[in-house]
Amino acid sequence: MEKLTSPFYPIIYVRGYAMTQSEINETVSKPYMGFNLGSTKLRKKWDGEVYRHIFESPLLRLIKDYQYQDIYSEGAEITTAIPPRSVIIYRYYEIADKDLGNGKVQSIIEAARGLKKLIHDVKNQVCIEHGNHDDFKVHLVAHSMGGLVCRAFLQNDDISDESDRALVDKLFTYATPHNGIEMAGFNVPGFLGLWDLNNFNRDKMIKYLDLPEGVKRVDSLNGKFDPEKVFCFVGTNSKDYDVASGISSKLAGEMSDGLVRIENATVQGAPRAFAYRSHSGHYGVVNSEEGYQNLVRFLFGDFYVHGVIESENLPLPPSVQKAKDNGKEVRASYYFETTVVTRGLRGVALTERRKDTFSAIFRKYEQLFPGDGSAGRSPVLFSTFLDTRKIEHGRTIVFKVSVAVSSTGYSIAGKFWNQNIDGDYLYDRKITIKATKTSDGWNLRYLEDDRWSDALGTLIEQINGVYRIPLSSRKGYRGFLNLKVGNVE
């Protein structure tokens, strides 16, 4: 049997929320609970244009690309030895099915305790022939509420301890409401016990996530698990989520995947990526090429790059600048857009935030430049993981970053009314970045507005461990794309 080696650990998939009894029955009837569902449609543009793109499913691609296998044989789950490269489906909804269980839906805490038992069972199965239990770990992959089940296991002291959590190498979540679910601007109420919808109420989440009472946000791991070991894949397409005849999508709003708002879909301090995908369905996050590419690079990749845009000068139009010079109060806010693609993915982006899909990063001027001596909120543009094993020639990883900065508009305070002036783009460029592995680290070069050229590019200056690419435009924008890179430990 194959030996257990990093990073190819067993993968446990934890599916999301099933609301009604009929949905539970349908879920339980599926061997892979959605992890085997693919798609033949890729919506590339917000205006509805659809491209034919065949994505077989995360399960099949793991089998084809990385030699994983399921643990089903002759109509049952294998309970003896299994190889390290196994995909296990956590079937925690089976107990709620009247044919296979008692018809009672488990609580988040009960499901988290069941996950703990499953991890230990998988450990025993893998280590029957491997022998060295000290090397054992698993990858957790979860959709929606499944991510909350995983977090309850990882951070609730009544469920797990440090030795239990040490068995988890990484957690990847698709569209998980890490900070709860909001409809029409309000958090799901705690009294809404119908179909266990109050699982997404923050007061209840505080309890099963073992967080301090009174916290306003519940997207913290509270020091129980390293957030850099968690990756959050976030959908930004609310239009294609048609559950409840589209009512959910309308109530969640545009800055969402149709159910979970973008601002609530990440863990504090965790890397994340964004795609124009809905919460589920044919255009959903799980059955997407974008999700899969981020999944395997996070689980198996050996190189990471985090990108932050630091603005130094955000120029004002002449009329606005004149008003400001004359002592009038000027208000301004900005959108930051970014797309990251890597060579060889045929146009599929690893992450994408754009104005036209209502997913761009928004900042007010005073957030960028507080003026009180405190640091501004420089937008984190992306967190990307890459795999040097995918390099076909040489030792260089090549990826392209699109960066755009635009104003939403300007408001000049008047005596009786405000004067509003439309905004425009201050900066809009594509930057090709080439990272070459050396004996003592990484050598980074860049080219602006380049189409995967073999040109060497400009060496990127490194200051205190951060690579800084200068950004400037004819309109007067100045800033830096700050890159932090390194090997995955």
Side-chain angles (χ1 to χ4, degrees), residues 348-362:
V348 174
L350 291 177
T351 187
E352 185 174 38
R353 302 192 72 172
R354 306 197 318 261
K355 281 200 305 185
D356 57 17
T357 59
F358 307 100
S359 59
I361 303 168
F362 175 83

Side-chain angles (χ1 to χ4, degrees), residues 390-462:
K390 296 181 181 295
I391 300 175
E392 295 182 1
H393 304 287
R395 296 174 297 170
T396 300
I397 294 174
V398 183
F399 59 99
K400 191 186 296 290
V401 180
S402 299
V403 179
V405 182
S406 62
S407 169
T408 65
Y410 308 93
S411 176
I412 302 173
K415 187 173 183 180
F416 299 105
W417 61 82
N418 290 344
Q419 180 184 0
N420 296 308
I421 299 175
D422 292 338
D424 62 352
Y425 276 91
L426 305 176
Y427 181 89
D428 190 0
R429 297 278 177 83
K430 293 182 177 64
I431 303 170
T432 298
I433 299 170
K434 300 184 175 186
T436 303
K437 195 170 186 178
T438 64
S439 58
D440 58 351
W442 290 89
N443 179 301
L444 268 66
R445 294 180 177 271
Y446 77 98
L447 302 96
E448 286 191 297
D449 295 321
D450 188 78
R451 295 181 177 274
W452 306 116
S453 169
D454 290 330
L456 190 59
T458 303
L459 186 67
I460 304 176
E461 181 183 14
Q462 182 184 180

Side-chain angles (χ1 to χ4, degrees), residues 77 201 321 332 432:
E77 290 175 304
N201 171 264
Q321 184 65 54
T432 298

Side-chain angles (χ1 to χ4, degrees), residues 266-335:
T266 56
V267 166
Q268 293 178 26
R272 68 228 24 206
F274 304 81
Y276 190 56
R277 290 282 180 171
S278 60
H279 190 77
S280 62
H282 300 304
Y283 301 101
V285 287
V286 177
N287 51 327
S288 71
E289 184 77 43
E290 300 96 323
Y292 174 76
Q293 294 296 339
N294 278 284
L295 171 69
V296 295
R297 282 166 171 75
F298 176 62
L299 296 186
F300 312 134
D302 55 0
F303 173 77
Y304 71 85
V305 53
H306 301 312
V308 176
I309 185 168
E310 177 188 346
S311 297
E312 286 192 336
N313 185 55
L314 290 163
L316 298 173
S319 60
V320 179
Q321 184 65 54
K322 182 178 179 180
K324 184 177 181 182
D325 293 341
N326 290 333
K328 291 188 177 181
E329 182 182 1
V330 172
R331 295 189 181 94
S333 53
Y334 301 87
Y335 283 127

Side-chain angles (χ1 to χ4, degrees), residues 217-237:
R217 297 189 62 89
V218 294
D219 49 3
S220 167
L221 295 172
N222 202 27
K224 305 296 178 62
F225 192 75
D226 184 357
E228 293 188 0
K229 293 287 188 179
V230 180
F231 193 99
C232 304
F233 187 65
V234 183
T236 63
N237 176 7

